[in-house]
Amino acid sequence: MRWSGQAIDTSRSDALPGMESNSGFVRSVTTPEFAGVTFHEVLAKSALNRVPSADGDGTYGWTINPYRGCSHACVYCFARPTHTYLEFDGGADFDQQIVVKTNVADVLHRELTKPTWDRHPVALGTNTDPYQRAEGRYRLMPGIIRALAGSGTPFSILTKGTLLRRDLPLLVEASRSVPVDLAMSIAVYDDELQQQVEPGTPTTSARLATVRAIRDAGLECSVFLMPVLPFITDTRAHLDDAIGRAAAAGASSVMYSALHLRPGVKPWWFEWLGRTRPDLVARYRSMYLDNTYAPADYRRWLSERVRPILRAHGLGLGRVDPATGSMGFTDRAATGAGDGRDGRPDQLVEQSVPVTSPLKRADPGFDRRLQQPSPVGSPRLF
């Protein structure tokens, strides 16, 4: 069906709140191909988001978010509270009211060609997924990739979307001129559970096949085992299956952390938990009612469980930039595992085959940003 005939009058209640008089608002769109989802097309004024370091030392990172809201509908998604800025709620609206920055590639090209641009590494996918289903229709990523590579700007992509395979030729070409880091987020390796907590995502098997396709194309690819759900996906059997399948798919490294719940995410998580696992509600309340992160002793326990599994499968644990959420593979043959005593998520474990992230090599501030935990308001992965 032609989308040009699907415009919604902006005076209607289902149009983008607060945007009717904004010159950047174009139209709201529905289509049978995406039942229940409304796309709000806007003209972005900027594409690059500057993210300051956690400790205020002057280092910073850059991100791009082509979309706001995400049809992956992950119950635990840390980005849900960002939708309230648009007068949407962080629940069903986050999943079904998707803002599309239709001109993002053109705006990005203009920003990257300014004399003041220093070609600092840029991260995509650390807030909402650039390869969610809408990307198949809007095709924003090819233009973004070309703009970044053409300007000599290193970049990373974190996604749950198998649509990345469409752009593999572009990514391979880009990697010949700039550092490119790719990572696939695969948190749940039980098919029934995966459809419960991530109902809009591709299957685990499809995402693992995408990891293999990336590796076969000659690029590195990390697997983000995030979040590990306490008392649900933290069993030795589940973790061993997850890490083993990631290794079999050719993952360059694995990154993991326990579930964390920001205040704006907790209501949606506990609503799901009460419906599906009421037996765990009291245990989760004891862990998260007054905390965003899992308790230090739990994170320490999880580290002790994961470390030997990683060793057994010959995989090391990379590092995650606390400012942007971009990834950096471990670059030492043996490192200490984070035990949670410093209040930060687990960082490093032993690495059997040292791999240095090209994005990390391109970003002089990466290591310094790891020295301090991020403030509550800065981006984290899950």
Side-chain angles (χ1 to χ4, degrees):
M1 178 176 292
R2 288 172 55 94
W3 279 29
S4 59
Q6 299 301 305
I8 297 175
D9 189 306
T10 57
S11 66
R12 287 178 52 175
S13 61
D14 51 0
L16 185 63
M19 292 292 288
E20 294 87 344
S21 61
N22 189 314
S23 60
F25 176 72
V26 178
R27 63 175 183 168
S28 294
V29 176
T30 60
T31 172
E33 297 171 70
F34 296 86
V37 178
T38 300
F39 298 104
H40 304 284
E41 299 176 359
V42 301
L43 297 178
K45 295 180 179 179
S46 64
L48 291 164
N49 310 301
R50 177 168 163 156
V51 184
S53 64
D55 58 2
D57 67 352
T59 62
Y60 52 87
W62 295 89
T63 65
I64 299 172
N65 297 303
Y67 303 95
R68 297 187 65 166
C70 186
S71 59
H72 287 335
C74 303
V75 178
Y76 51 74
C77 181
F78 78 94
R80 288 183 176 278
T82 64
H83 230 43
T84 59
Y85 177 79
L86 301 175
E87 300 178 26
F88 289 131
D89 68 46
D93 284 350
F94 182 82
D95 306 334
Q96 299 171 1
Q97 305 291 330
I98 310 299
V99 177
V100 184
K101 302 175 184 178
T102 56
N103 65 333
V104 65
D106 292 335
V107 173
L108 177 63
H109 176 75
R110 292 198 299 269
E111 292 177 330
L112 296 177
T113 53
K114 291 180 179 179
T116 53
W117 176 243
D118 62 0
R119 296 175 176 81
H120 198 98
V122 172
L124 292 107
T126 61
N127 191 28
T128 56
D129 200 314
Y131 282 108
Q132 58 181 283
R133 286 182 60 215
E135 173 61 16
R137 171 66 66 171
Y138 284 99
R139 300 183 65 88
L140 302 180
M141 284 299 291
I144 291 172
I145 293 168
R146 291 189 184 100
L148 290 166
S151 68
T153 300
F155 63 94
S156 67
I157 300 173
L158 169 64
T159 184
K160 295 177 180 176
T162 56
L163 187 58
L164 178 143
R165 296 176 72 166
R166 178 200 68 193
D167 293 340
L168 266 178
L170 265 180
L171 291 165
V172 170
E173 181 182 353
S175 70
R176 297 188 180 112
S177 56
V178 298
V180 175
D181 274 1
L182 303 177
M184 183 64 59
S185 175
I186 317 175
V188 182
Y189 291 73
D190 175 281
D191 291 342
E192 181 178 354
L193 178 63
Q194 181 255 327
Q195 285 302 304
Q196 290 179 11
V197 297
E198 305 171 346
T201 60
T203 65
T204 299
S205 296
R207 281 181 268 175
L208 287 167
T210 303
V211 174
R212 170 50 61 191
I214 293 169
R215 299 293 284 125
D216 288 346
L219 300 174
E220 303 289 341
C221 184
S222 295
V223 167
F224 275 43
L225 183 58
M226 297 179 173
V228 175
L229 307 177
F231 318 117
I232 300 175
T233 63
D234 60 359
T235 66
R236 185 172 282 105
H238 188 275
L239 293 170
D240 183 67
D241 180 52
I243 294 170
R245 291 172 70 182
S252 306
S253 66
V254 169
M255 281 161 270
Y256 78 95
S257 68
L259 175 73
H260 82 268
L261 296 173
R262 292 183 180 181
V265 181
K266 288 180 184 180
W268 312 108
W269 172 260
F270 276 99
E271 191 277 332
W272 175 84
L273 197 69
R275 281 189 292 106
T276 61
R277 291 299 304 270
D279 56 307
L280 294 179
V281 169
R283 300 179 81 174
Y284 268 81
R285 282 178 177 163
S286 69
M287 292 179 69
Y288 291 104
L289 189 61
D290 298 316
N291 303 295
T292 296
Y293 295 95
D297 58 350
Y298 175 84
R299 286 184 278 121
R300 189 161 46 246
W301 172 86
L302 183 61
S303 174
E304 292 169 354
R305 169 157 287 190
V306 169
R307 186 166 57 234
I309 298 175
L310 285 165
R311 281 200 302 267
H313 291 286
L315 282 173
L317 183 68
R319 296 186 287 181
V320 177
D321 186 329
T324 65
S326 58
M327 67 293 299
F329 310 142
T330 180
D331 58 359
R332 294 191 295 278
T335 61
D339 60 7
R341 293 186 179 92
D342 59 1
R344 289 182 289 177
D346 302 317
Q347 295 291 331
L348 300 171
V349 297
E350 294 161 0
Q351 170 83 345
S352 60
V353 180
V355 179
T356 301
S357 159
L359 194 76
K360 177 179 178 294
R361 291 198 302 268
D363 184 354
F366 189 99
D367 283 321
R368 280 202 288 167
R369 289 196 293 275
L370 291 176
Q371 302 308 309
Q372 296 289 334
S374 295
V376 172
S378 64
R380 285 192 184 270
L381 292 168
F382 293 101

